[in-house]
Amino acid sequence: MSQPSNHFVKNTILKLLGAIGSEKEIKKYIQKFSSPEQRFAVIKVGGSVIRDDLDNLITSLVFLNQVGLKPVILHGAGPMLSDQLEKDNIEFSFIDGQRVTSEKVRDVAQKVFIETNKLIVDNLKKQNAKAVCIYKDVFNCAKGKSELGLVGNIQSVDVSTINDALENDMIPVISPLGQDPNEVLNINADLATIELVKAIKPYKVIFLSETGGIFNGENKLIETINIALEYQELMEKSWLHSGMKLKLEQIKTLLDHLPKSSSVSITQPINLPKELFTDSGSGTMVKHGFRIKHYVLPNDRVENKFKKIIEASFNKKLVPNFFAETNKLNVFMSSCDRATIAISGDHHIPYMDKFGVLPEAKGEGLGAGLWHEMRKTYPQLFWRSRANNPINNFYMSICEGCQKRADWHIYWIGISDYSVLQDCIEFAVTKPRSVI
Ligand code: ARG
């Protein structure tokens, strides 16, 4: 394990800041995360991340510290513990992912956890971030299943030392060690994270891992998961392997105990600033989510809500005759009324006329959830977007084809016939503006 030098950290922070996003976005998130109403974040760091990616971990945490944010860190040390047990010739095994803990294993675990904790804290201190080791008095336990040995079932969490640290501007770094009235007990770090999160109820829960997210059947990172809409569907997928299934189950449990505003992100240490301080992030973000409602217009109430979202999101006015002049308008809207899509029947192939998300709701995964639901109804679709619209990166990633004209980019899905496509493109480029 190497130690990052001061010079390295400074350079990396500069690189990160320049590369991650606009100043406006970064400021928006710093403000959100500094709210006195809710603790900022619990960050779970897996043992292998500490072993193999310590430099980036420390750099990202120092970066948070420098912008005035204090996360609560809970670390694991599984691989180091296994290495040490092997070195010491102590046998060990697992039952359902939990380490069977004899007295010998417990003693080594305690030593390795404390060493790992100190390693993180010492490296943070070297970069002038204030941090404190906490390896006892947080998790009050009862002994769990007898076949697991000295493994703790958490009965209550005492957050007083954590709060003291935060109030003194220190980053608390916590080991998954507990105690019953008689002795020290080993705790699975993921289970400790769940109980810690329930006690702290932070705005963000972050899992730092080597892979940095959940990947789909094509091995593509899933950027956002909306539990209310997608949980069942995802759990049935054959490509979601058992480790990820368990993780998603745990995340759902976590979200059930957190306020609606909270979310869980899985990312890599190097991408943590980007995940936190940009709308699009870098990793998988999981939210409680929302339901999607589908309306066929006319409907005055929906038209009013639609107009509000579109005008705020484009910072322009909807043309006065928009509803009167659009045929068979189908509107999809998030149950929180903060994102909407309109599909018009003006052309024989469905045309996506509008897609808007309220500026303050960007980064919550609303757009992606809405898109996902709308696509279930519309396998064939085309739309246009201004050449300089920042959403074009997203459109590029989801369309099957695109033609770039001077003013407009035209995108489509499910259209393979060349003459039909020409017709659609012609329709899109000549269509009058609907926001001014
Ligand atoms: N920065 C925001 C947050 O952390 C949004 C992140 C979006 N991330 C994603 N993987 N879609 O709350």
Side-chain angles (χ1 to χ4, degrees), residues 139-416:
F139 302 108
N140 299 311
C141 296
K143 250 179 234 125
K145 289 187 197 135
S146 58
E147 70 263 31
L148 286 173
L150 297 174
V151 168
N153 256 349
I154 300 172
Q155 304 296 301
S156 67
V157 178
D158 183 347
V159 289
S160 54
T161 45
I162 300 171
N163 284 340
D164 285 351
L166 293 172
E167 252 92 82
N168 287 308
D169 284 334
M170 293 188 153
I171 301 174
V173 179
I174 303 161
S175 301
L177 287 167
Q179 65 281 317
D180 70 2
N182 302 318
E183 57 194 331
V184 173
L185 297 168
N186 183 18
I187 313 173
N188 171 293
D190 281 322
L191 299 180
T193 307
I194 293 179
E195 295 309 316
L196 187 65
V197 165
K198 284 189 197 167
I200 295 181
K201 300 201 186 306
Y203 192 66
K204 296 276 322 180
V205 180
I206 297 151
F207 290 93
L208 292 180
S209 71
E210 283 181 304
T211 47
I214 298 180
F215 292 79
N216 70 13
E218 278 110 50
N219 215 14
K220 242 185 100 190
L221 179 81
I222 305 178
E223 290 179 5
T224 51
I225 295 176
N226 174 332
I227 289 286
L229 279 179
E230 296 166 278
Y231 184 71
Q232 276 319 326
E233 212 177 302
L234 273 173
M235 291 304 274
E236 284 158 19
K237 298 277 192 236
S238 56
W239 46 256
L240 195 70
H241 63 80
S242 58
M244 272 303 151
K245 248 188 199 147
L246 183 67
K247 180 114 271 170
L248 202 58
E249 255 167 27
Q250 287 177 342
I251 291 178
K252 182 174 182 302
T253 311
L254 277 179
L255 286 170
D256 287 342
H257 286 90
L258 287 171
K260 281 253 177 221
S261 52
S262 296
S263 63
V264 178
S265 287
I266 311 176
T267 187
Q268 291 170 317
I270 185 79
N271 291 326
L272 179 62
K274 184 160 184 217
E275 174 62 15
L276 286 172
F277 300 115
T278 66
D279 290 338
S280 51
S282 178
T284 301
M285 181 177 72
V286 191
K287 288 214 70 153
H288 274 290
F290 42 83
R291 310 217 160 261
I292 305 288
K293 295 171 292 181
H294 181 177
Y295 306 96
V296 181
L297 267 42
N299 175 329
D300 285 348
R301 203 176 48 86
V302 175
E303 284 169 25
N304 278 334
K305 287 184 187 172
F306 177 84
K307 187 165 178 285
K308 264 198 202 128
I309 302 172
I310 294 300
E311 294 191 342
S313 114
F314 284 85
N315 201 13
K316 288 189 174 131
K317 292 271 169 232
L318 203 60
V319 291
N321 50 1
F322 178 78
F323 296 109
E325 293 201 346
T326 314
N327 249 319
K328 279 199 271 162
L329 208 52
N330 275 257
V331 166
F332 295 80
M333 201 174 282
S334 62
S335 50
C336 54
D337 296 336
R338 300 198 298 162
T340 189
I341 288 180
I343 309 288
S344 92
D346 277 345
H347 190 272
H348 67 99
I349 305 278
Y351 173 69
M352 181 166 75
D353 200 315
K354 283 278 150 295
F355 186 174
V357 179
L358 286 185
E360 65 270 24
K362 292 208 167 106
E364 293 183 15
L366 288 171
L370 203 58
W371 174 263
H372 183 80
E373 273 310 287
M374 176 278 289
R375 288 276 292 119
K376 290 185 186 162
T377 315
Y378 293 100
Q380 251 192 341
L381 194 71
F382 72 107
W383 68 99
R384 71 179 182 187
S385 162
R386 284 272 168 212
N388 58 358
N389 192 332
I391 199 178
N392 289 341
N393 283 339
F394 170 68
Y395 285 158
M396 234 17 225
S397 73
I398 52 172
C399 72
E400 287 172 4
C402 163
Q403 193 171 102
K404 294 182 179 168
R405 298 284 183 92
D407 288 344
W408 298 106
H409 291 181
I410 299 94
Y411 303 88
W412 59 89
I413 285 177
I415 310 173
S416 47

